Amino acid sequence: MNARFERTGALTELTSYPQWAQNMVAECEDAKQGVVGHELWSVMSEGTLDATSTRHFMAGVWPVIERFPAYMAHNLLKTRYGRSPGDNMARRWLVRNIRVEQNHADYWLHWAEGAGVTRDEVLHGPAPLGTGTLANWCEEVSGNAPLAAGIIATNYAVEGATGEWSQLIYDSVTYKESFPVSNRTASLRWLQLHAAYDDTHPWEALEIVCTLLGTAPSTAEVAYLGECVRRSYISMQITLDRCLDARRASWALGEEAAA
Ligand SMILES: [Fe+2]
């Protein structure tokens, strides 16, 4: 049954969305904190992320950056104009926003280069084992799952958590000043664009999902969407953990040597 949802409250207020969506967001909050509160961001913000971990991060996350418009394209293929208000909204939004993603891969490479990781290392260098977890999940859910699941896993969960961690780093004066003035703006462009303060994409994605499902979806549908959101956060956390492994390993070696 699809009791129609039409948002009347503010886009960026959780209370504007149906109760099932509010509950789902609350239930996934702990998994989201595993990403937003990840150690990697504090180390990066302090400007003390070592060169190996920086390279792992830039190369390890790259497949998701590069494929993000393709995930959206997979979801676009699932829409049919006129089938439902949610389909129309998703189609319109995806067509428009795939284009917005156009330059983001270049901006990621500029960030990497500014941080000392060459374009070649990002594109062709080995990514640490396990960092493909997030890319694999995004590919699977956008390729094979229903439209609402694909959108909530990528445009809501991945982009939403990314907005929060991007803002943490972009707000760090220490981090900004670690880039030479000559290429600081170009290096930080990706972070600036993804920082949560002017990114409404995750909210728009949530609105689309709620329009697709209405105010009274089945318990099974809600449970499945919640699981998709959780899997996105957990996959992100695993990917970030693997980026820091080299750092942990070198610490362990250092401690052994000192002992
Ligand atoms: Fe982007």
mmCIF file of all heavy atoms in Angstrom, residues 65 68-69 72 97 100-105 159 162 190 193-194 199 201, ligand 1:
data_model
loop_
_atom_site.group_PDB
_atom_site.id
_atom_site.type_symbol
_atom_site.label_atom_id
_atom_site.label_comp_id
_atom_site.label_asym_id
_atom_site.label_seq_id
_atom_site.Cartn_x
_atom_site.Cartn_y
_atom_site.Cartn_z
ATOM 1 N N ILE A 65 34.503 7.304 -6.264
ATOM 2 C CA ILE A 65 34.408 8.659 -6.842
ATOM 3 C C ILE A 65 34.189 8.529 -8.355
ATOM 4 O O ILE A 65 33.334 9.182 -8.932
ATOM 5 C CB ILE A 65 35.716 9.458 -6.580
ATOM 6 C CG1 ILE A 65 36.060 9.465 -5.092
ATOM 7 C CG2 ILE A 65 35.641 10.855 -7.183
ATOM 8 C CD1 ILE A 65 35.077 10.148 -4.201
ATOM 9 N N PHE A 68 30.680 7.012 -9.222
ATOM 10 C CA PHE A 68 29.457 7.550 -8.613
ATOM 11 C C PHE A 68 28.385 7.939 -9.642
ATOM 12 O O PHE A 68 27.216 7.576 -9.491
ATOM 13 C CB PHE A 68 29.770 8.710 -7.647
ATOM 14 C CG PHE A 68 28.794 8.760 -6.518
ATOM 15 C CD1 PHE A 68 28.924 7.926 -5.421
ATOM 16 C CD2 PHE A 68 27.685 9.607 -6.577
ATOM 17 C CE1 PHE A 68 27.988 7.925 -4.400
ATOM 18 C CE2 PHE A 68 26.745 9.615 -5.556
ATOM 19 C CZ PHE A 68 26.901 8.783 -4.464
ATOM 20 N N PRO A 69 28.743 8.652 -10.716
ATOM 21 C CA PRO A 69 27.720 8.961 -11.719
ATOM 22 C C PRO A 69 27.148 7.691 -12.361
ATOM 23 O O PRO A 69 25.982 7.668 -12.763
ATOM 24 C CB PRO A 69 28.453 9.798 -12.772
ATOM 25 C CG PRO A 69 29.786 10.104 -12.221
ATOM 26 C CD PRO A 69 30.048 9.213 -11.047
ATOM 27 N N MET A 72 24.428 6.309 -10.246
ATOM 28 C CA MET A 72 23.207 7.092 -10.478
ATOM 29 C C MET A 72 22.568 6.702 -11.821
ATOM 30 O O MET A 72 21.343 6.653 -11.948
ATOM 31 C CB MET A 72 23.534 8.586 -10.428
ATOM 32 C CG MET A 72 23.960 9.014 -9.024
ATOM 33 S SD MET A 72 24.814 10.602 -9.014
ATOM 34 C CE MET A 72 23.436 11.726 -9.054
ATOM 35 N N ASN A 97 21.458 15.592 -11.786
ATOM 36 C CA ASN A 97 22.614 15.492 -10.895
ATOM 37 C C ASN A 97 23.752 14.621 -11.407
ATOM 38 O O ASN A 97 24.873 14.730 -10.930
ATOM 39 C CB ASN A 97 22.160 15.077 -9.498
ATOM 40 C CG ASN A 97 21.499 16.249 -8.804
ATOM 41 O OD1 ASN A 97 22.152 17.246 -8.516
ATOM 42 N ND2 ASN A 97 20.200 16.168 -8.594
ATOM 43 N N VAL A 100 26.001 17.110 -12.615
ATOM 44 C CA VAL A 100 26.713 17.830 -11.545
ATOM 45 C C VAL A 100 27.977 17.056 -11.133
ATOM 46 O O VAL A 100 28.995 17.642 -10.777
ATOM 47 C CB VAL A 100 25.765 18.057 -10.329
ATOM 48 C CG1 VAL A 100 26.510 18.633 -9.142
ATOM 49 C CG2 VAL A 100 24.605 18.964 -10.730
ATOM 50 N N GLU A 101 27.899 15.740 -11.217
ATOM 51 C CA GLU A 101 29.033 14.904 -10.814
ATOM 52 C C GLU A 101 30.197 14.948 -11.821
ATOM 53 O O GLU A 101 31.287 14.453 -11.547
ATOM 54 C CB GLU A 101 28.576 13.442 -10.674
ATOM 55 C CG GLU A 101 27.697 13.174 -9.466
ATOM 56 C CD GLU A 101 28.441 13.299 -8.147
ATOM 57 O OE1 GLU A 101 29.643 12.964 -8.113
ATOM 58 O OE2 GLU A 101 27.828 13.744 -7.171
ATOM 59 N N GLN A 102 29.912 15.540 -12.971
ATOM 60 C CA GLN A 102 30.853 15.492 -14.089
ATOM 61 C C GLN A 102 32.307 15.807 -13.720
ATOM 62 O O GLN A 102 33.216 15.077 -14.091
ATOM 63 C CB GLN A 102 30.390 16.477 -15.165
ATOM 64 C CG GLN A 102 31.237 16.505 -16.396
ATOM 65 C CD GLN A 102 30.533 17.289 -17.500
ATOM 66 O OE1 GLN A 102 29.935 16.718 -18.387
ATOM 67 N NE2 GLN A 102 30.586 18.590 -17.402
ATOM 68 N N ASN A 103 32.495 16.910 -12.984
ATOM 69 C CA ASN A 103 33.870 17.340 -12.706
ATOM 70 C C ASN A 103 34.449 16.780 -11.407
ATOM 71 O O ASN A 103 35.608 17.040 -11.096
ATOM 72 C CB ASN A 103 33.930 18.873 -12.632
ATOM 73 C CG ASN A 103 33.584 19.490 -13.969
ATOM 74 O OD1 ASN A 103 33.972 18.971 -15.018
ATOM 75 N ND2 ASN A 103 32.834 20.581 -13.946
ATOM 76 N N HIS A 104 33.639 16.033 -10.670
ATOM 77 C CA HIS A 104 34.107 15.657 -9.338
ATOM 78 C C HIS A 104 35.287 14.694 -9.359
ATOM 79 O O HIS A 104 36.125 14.720 -8.467
ATOM 80 C CB HIS A 104 32.945 15.109 -8.503
ATOM 81 C CG HIS A 104 31.925 16.164 -8.191
ATOM 82 N ND1 HIS A 104 30.851 15.946 -7.383
ATOM 83 C CD2 HIS A 104 31.830 17.458 -8.580
ATOM 84 C CE1 HIS A 104 30.130 17.062 -7.295
ATOM 85 N NE2 HIS A 104 30.702 17.984 -8.023
ATOM 86 N N ALA A 105 35.369 13.865 -10.386
ATOM 87 C CA ALA A 105 36.525 12.957 -10.476
ATOM 88 C C ALA A 105 37.809 13.772 -10.673
ATOM 89 O O ALA A 105 38.837 13.489 -10.032
ATOM 90 C CB ALA A 105 36.336 11.974 -11.620
ATOM 91 N N GLU A 159 26.547 9.761 0.293
ATOM 92 C CA GLU A 159 26.727 11.217 0.155
ATOM 93 C C GLU A 159 26.491 11.955 1.472
ATOM 94 O O GLU A 159 27.150 12.952 1.753
ATOM 95 C CB GLU A 159 25.777 11.782 -0.908
ATOM 96 C CG GLU A 159 26.288 11.610 -2.323
ATOM 97 C CD GLU A 159 25.669 12.637 -3.276
ATOM 98 O OE1 GLU A 159 26.225 13.747 -3.388
ATOM 99 O OE2 GLU A 159 24.640 12.326 -3.877
ATOM 100 N N THR A 162 29.444 11.455 3.715
ATOM 101 C CA THR A 162 30.560 12.155 3.077
ATOM 102 C C THR A 162 30.462 13.658 3.310
ATOM 103 O O THR A 162 31.475 14.327 3.550
ATOM 104 C CB THR A 162 30.586 11.835 1.561
ATOM 105 O OG1 THR A 162 30.798 10.432 1.414
ATOM 106 C CG2 THR A 162 31.681 12.598 0.842
ATOM 107 N N TRP A 190 37.196 19.738 -4.129
ATOM 108 C CA TRP A 190 36.327 18.576 -3.923
ATOM 109 C C TRP A 190 35.702 18.620 -2.528
ATOM 110 O O TRP A 190 34.492 18.419 -2.366
ATOM 111 C CB TRP A 190 37.111 17.265 -4.123
ATOM 112 C CG TRP A 190 36.205 16.054 -4.152
ATOM 113 C CD1 TRP A 190 35.674 15.452 -5.253
ATOM 114 C CD2 TRP A 190 35.690 15.336 -3.018
ATOM 115 N NE1 TRP A 190 34.861 14.409 -4.881
ATOM 116 C CE2 TRP A 190 34.846 14.315 -3.527
ATOM 117 C CE3 TRP A 190 35.850 15.461 -1.626
ATOM 118 C CZ2 TRP A 190 34.186 13.417 -2.695
ATOM 119 C CZ3 TRP A 190 35.168 14.558 -0.795
ATOM 120 C CH2 TRP A 190 34.356 13.551 -1.319
ATOM 121 N N LEU A 193 33.039 21.345 -2.205
ATOM 122 C CA LEU A 193 31.767 21.015 -2.859
ATOM 123 C C LEU A 193 30.970 19.965 -2.099
ATOM 124 O O LEU A 193 29.751 19.925 -2.182
ATOM 125 C CB LEU A 193 32.029 20.488 -4.281
ATOM 126 C CG LEU A 193 32.399 21.522 -5.320
ATOM 127 C CD1 LEU A 193 32.780 20.829 -6.623
ATOM 128 C CD2 LEU A 193 31.233 22.474 -5.555
ATOM 129 N N HIS A 194 31.677 19.076 -1.394
ATOM 130 C CA HIS A 194 30.974 17.995 -0.716
ATOM 131 C C HIS A 194 30.681 18.275 0.752
ATOM 132 O O HIS A 194 29.937 17.519 1.376
ATOM 133 C CB HIS A 194 31.750 16.676 -0.877
ATOM 134 C CG HIS A 194 31.703 16.168 -2.288
ATOM 135 N ND1 HIS A 194 32.566 16.604 -3.253
ATOM 136 C CD2 HIS A 194 30.846 15.313 -2.902
ATOM 137 C CE1 HIS A 194 32.261 16.010 -4.411
ATOM 138 N NE2 HIS A 194 31.224 15.239 -4.219
ATOM 139 N N ASP A 199 25.379 21.201 0.739
ATOM 140 C CA ASP A 199 24.991 20.030 -0.038
ATOM 141 C C ASP A 199 23.628 19.519 0.440
ATOM 142 O O ASP A 199 23.506 18.956 1.522
ATOM 143 C CB ASP A 199 26.048 18.928 0.086
ATOM 144 C CG ASP A 199 25.792 17.816 -0.912
ATOM 145 O OD1 ASP A 199 24.846 17.940 -1.708
ATOM 146 O OD2 ASP A 199 26.535 16.826 -0.881
ATOM 147 N N HIS A 201 21.899 17.346 -1.389
ATOM 148 C CA HIS A 201 21.632 16.087 -2.099
ATOM 149 C C HIS A 201 21.101 14.952 -1.224
ATOM 150 O O HIS A 201 20.138 14.292 -1.613
ATOM 151 C CB HIS A 201 22.902 15.606 -2.821
ATOM 152 C CG HIS A 201 23.136 16.331 -4.101
ATOM 153 N ND1 HIS A 201 24.200 16.073 -4.928
ATOM 154 C CD2 HIS A 201 22.430 17.315 -4.687
ATOM 155 C CE1 HIS A 201 24.132 16.878 -5.967
ATOM 156 N NE2 HIS A 201 23.083 17.640 -5.845
HETATM 157 FE FE FE B 1 30.465 14.317 -6.100
#
